[in-house]
Amino acid sequence: MQIARVCGTVVGTHKLPSLTGVKFLLLQLVDLDGRVLPEYEVAADPVGAGIGEWVLVARGSAARQDDRSDRRPLDALVVAIIDTVSGENGRIYSKSDSY
Amino acid sequence: MQIARVCGTVVGTHKLPSLTGVKFLLLQLVDLDGRVLPEYEVAADPVGAGIGEWVLVARGSAARQDDRSDRRPLDALVVAIIDTVSGENGRIYSKSDSY
Amino acid sequence: MQIARVCGTVVGTHKLPSLTGVKFLLLQLVDLDGRVLPEYEVAADPVGAGIGEWVLVARGSAARQDDRSDRRPLDALVVAIIDTVSGENGRIYSKSDSY
Amino acid sequence: MQIARVCGTVVGTHKLPSLTGVKFLLLQLVDLDGRVLPEYEVAADPVGAGIGEWVLVARGSAARQDDRSDRRPLDALVVAIIDTVSGENGRIYSKSDSY
Amino acid sequence: MQIARVCGTVVGTHKLPSLTGVKFLLLQLVDLDGRVLPEYEVAADPVGAGIGEWVLVARGSAARQDDRSDRRPLDALVVAIIDTVSGENGRIYSKSDSY
């Protein structure tokens, strides 16, 4: 999985029927120094993440292992809201610090 | 999923039988500033997107989760026509603005 | 799918039994300006493409959606011989022009 | 698979139910000279690797071939703790040397 | 598939049970000019390739289409030992020339 920061939303009303009701978040990937990268993913979000939160995003067929995402044409899924990222030299990110 | 702009079509009459009737769009991937990238995908299009429209493209096995694309050798699929892309500092794209 | 140009062949007699009789083409990926890239794929070819032709190549599990490639350890498949690639400013490639 | 070095952990309490009890390690990918790269993976760890150890990480659907990871939305899995990496000019890494 | 040169081995005794008895080769990817790249794969090898040989490596779910690799957490598999790679201007590689 990759670490990403929720930075927006994507809306499209004309879509495949199986995507009805799916909310799409715009995620910027984050590097190991906590900086956002130009790389992004548009991911379905079954966990309810908000703008500015850090999340774990699973890509590929992993995005369809949730009951609600099975058989939907998804290749990216928010699987967790991140509380902490810890490296060898201490915290890289702590959700509580960001408020 | 990635955001892409429809920029053309690809036609091939000599192909695998399971691809008969499949329309292939040429999509240029778009970055978070709304600029088209050199990276592209040739994707099947079950939603009927037109030249210049922005779409969501799913890649990998996600491209075969549509009833019409199941068992076809596809690795990229247009899954939605985008109405709006919204970032933290406002709209990155609005379909209605582009007309 | 990506656009590629057939530039050669790969032969290996010592291989997994399921690959017996599979012909491997060497494909150079092509960018949107019609230039060949250093990136390549070795792909199985069920459509009979020839050297110099442009083809569509599907990658990942899509390469095993053909009856003949099912259960074979393939991650790249020629799925069509391209006749034309058309962009917003006209033809990028036409097979008939290349003769 | 890629070679990676365990450099931290990621914790998220708000996640998909199927991820309950899954431990996420932060892995830095390693190149053939034994240097850590900026590229990373957040992977589930069923083998119990510790900080500083080198591991093999499998990505994509391979990450769900373990009984405990089946049907979980995982795209990266620690599959082995590495003892030695040997190249043509000798050892690139030996776990016993690193203590 | 990609072309790669066998350059070493990876050994790990502490691993998932399904990987018992699987031999891991270290492969350096090769470009179209026959030069080895910094990019590598650690792949299972059911065909018995030796150091210095060129092989075809399949990645992703293709790595589990062999009876012996089914249900194992593998994302890279040696599927053939290469005899010749031929481009438009002649041989890029011939196994018999390399001895």
Side-chain angles (χ1 to χ4, degrees):
Chain A
M1 280 69 64
Q2 295 291 298
I3 299 168
R5 184 179 179 277
V6 182
C7 69
T9 54
V10 177
V11 174
T13 48
H14 193 68
K15 57 191 164 188
L16 291 179
S18 60
L19 294 178
T20 303
V22 176
K23 183 183 173 186
F24 291 114
L25 291 186
L26 189 58
L27 309 176
Q28 276 185 284
L29 299 193
V30 171
D31 72 14
L32 280 183
D33 294 317
R35 286 183 297 241
V36 291
L37 298 166
E39 202 181 346
Y40 70 91
E41 281 291 343
V42 179
D45 175 29
V47 296
I51 297 284
E53 286 190 307
W54 281 27
V55 298
L56 272 184
V57 57
R59 298 194 281 189
S61 52
R64 296 189 304 279
Q65 301 304 311
D66 183 51
D67 286 343
R68 286 163 292 188
S69 57
D70 189 29
R71 289 294 301 167
R72 287 174 169 168
L74 299 172
D75 63 10
L77 189 75
V78 175
V79 299
I81 298 173
I82 294 174
D83 293 322
T84 56
V85 178
S86 304
E88 286 168 283
N89 303 315
R91 287 281 160 85
I92 296 168
Y93 169 81
S94 174
K95 188 181 168 179
S96 55
D97 292 349
S98 64
Y99 288 101
Chain B
M1 281 69 66
Q2 295 290 299
I3 300 169
R5 184 179 179 277
V6 182
C7 69
T9 54
V10 176
V11 174
T13 48
H14 193 66
K15 56 192 164 189
L16 291 179
S18 59
L19 293 178
T20 303
V22 176
K23 183 183 173 186
F24 290 113
L25 291 186
L26 189 59
L27 308 176
Q28 275 185 285
L29 299 193
V30 171
D31 72 14
L32 280 183
D33 294 317
R35 286 184 296 240
V36 291
L37 299 166
E39 203 182 345
Y40 70 90
E41 281 291 344
V42 179
D45 174 28
V47 296
I51 298 283
E53 285 189 309
W54 281 27
V55 298
L56 272 184
V57 57
R59 298 193 282 189
S61 52
R64 296 189 305 279
Q65 302 304 311
D66 183 51
D67 286 343
R68 285 163 293 188
S69 57
D70 189 29
R71 288 295 300 167
R72 287 174 169 169
L74 299 173
D75 63 10
L77 189 75
V78 175
V79 299
I81 298 173
I82 294 174
D83 292 322
T84 57
V85 179
S86 305
E88 286 168 282
N89 303 316
R91 287 281 160 85
I92 296 167
Y93 169 81
S94 174
K95 188 181 168 180
S96 56
D97 292 349
S98 64
Y99 287 102
Chain C
M1 280 69 65
Q2 295 290 299
I3 300 169
R5 184 178 179 278
V6 182
C7 69
T9 55
V10 177
V11 173
T13 49
H14 193 67
K15 56 191 165 190
L16 292 178
S18 59
L19 293 178
T20 303
V22 176
K23 183 184 173 185
F24 291 113
L25 291 186
L26 189 59
L27 308 177
Q28 275 185 286
L29 299 194
V30 171
D31 71 14
L32 281 183
D33 294 317
R35 285 184 296 241
V36 291
L37 298 165
E39 202 182 346
Y40 70 90
E41 281 291 343
V42 178
D45 175 28
V47 296
I51 297 283
E53 285 190 309
W54 280 27
V55 298
L56 272 184
V57 57
R59 298 192 283 189
S61 53
R64 296 188 305 279
Q65 301 304 311
D66 182 50
D67 286 343
R68 284 164 293 188
S69 57
D70 189 28
R71 288 296 299 166
R72 288 173 169 169
L74 298 172
D75 63 10
L77 188 75
V78 175
V79 299
I81 298 174
I82 294 175
D83 293 322
T84 57
V85 179
S86 305
E88 286 168 283
N89 304 316
R91 288 281 160 85
I92 296 167
Y93 169 80
S94 174
K95 188 181 168 179
S96 55
D97 292 349
S98 65
Y99 287 100
Chain D
M1 280 69 65
Q2 294 290 299
I3 299 168
R5 183 178 180 279
V6 182
C7 69
T9 54
V10 177
V11 174
T13 49
H14 192 68
K15 56 191 165 190
L16 292 180
S18 59
L19 293 178
T20 303
V22 175
K23 183 183 174 186
F24 291 114
L25 292 186
L26 189 58
L27 308 176
Q28 276 185 284
L29 298 193
V30 171
D31 71 14
L32 281 183
D33 293 317
R35 286 183 296 241
V36 291
L37 298 166
E39 203 182 345
Y40 70 91
E41 281 291 343
V42 178
D45 175 29
V47 298
I51 298 284
E53 285 190 308
W54 281 27
V55 297
L56 271 185
V57 57
R59 299 193 283 189
S61 52
R64 297 189 304 279
Q65 301 304 311
D66 183 51
D67 285 344
R68 286 164 291 189
S69 57
D70 190 27
R71 288 294 300 165
R72 287 174 169 168
L74 299 173
D75 63 10
L77 189 76
V78 174
V79 299
I81 299 174
I82 294 175
D83 292 323
T84 56
V85 178
S86 304
E88 286 168 283
N89 303 316
R91 287 280 161 86
I92 296 167
Y93 169 79
S94 174
K95 188 181 168 179
S96 56
D97 292 349
S98 64
Y99 287 101
Chain E
M1 281 69 65
Q2 295 290 299
I3 299 169
R5 182 177 180 280
V6 182
C7 69
T9 55
V10 177
V11 174
T13 49
H14 192 67
K15 56 191 165 189
L16 291 179
S18 59
L19 293 178
T20 303
V22 175
K23 184 183 174 185
F24 291 114
L25 291 186
L26 189 58
L27 308 176
Q28 274 186 286
L29 298 194
V30 172
D31 71 14
L32 281 183
D33 293 317
R35 286 184 296 241
V36 291
L37 299 165
E39 203 182 346
Y40 70 90
E41 281 291 343
V42 178
D45 175 27
V47 297
I51 298 283
E53 285 191 309
W54 281 27
V55 298
L56 271 184
V57 57
R59 298 193 283 188
S61 53
R64 296 188 305 279
Q65 301 304 312
D66 182 51
D67 285 344
R68 285 164 292 189
S69 56
D70 190 29
R71 288 294 301 166
R72 288 174 168 169
L74 298 172
D75 63 10
L77 188 75
V78 174
V79 299
I81 298 173
I82 294 175
D83 292 322
T84 57
V85 179
S86 305
E88 287 168 282
N89 304 315
R91 289 279 161 86
I92 295 167
Y93 169 80
S94 174
K95 189 181 168 179
S96 56
D97 293 349
S98 64
Y99 287 101

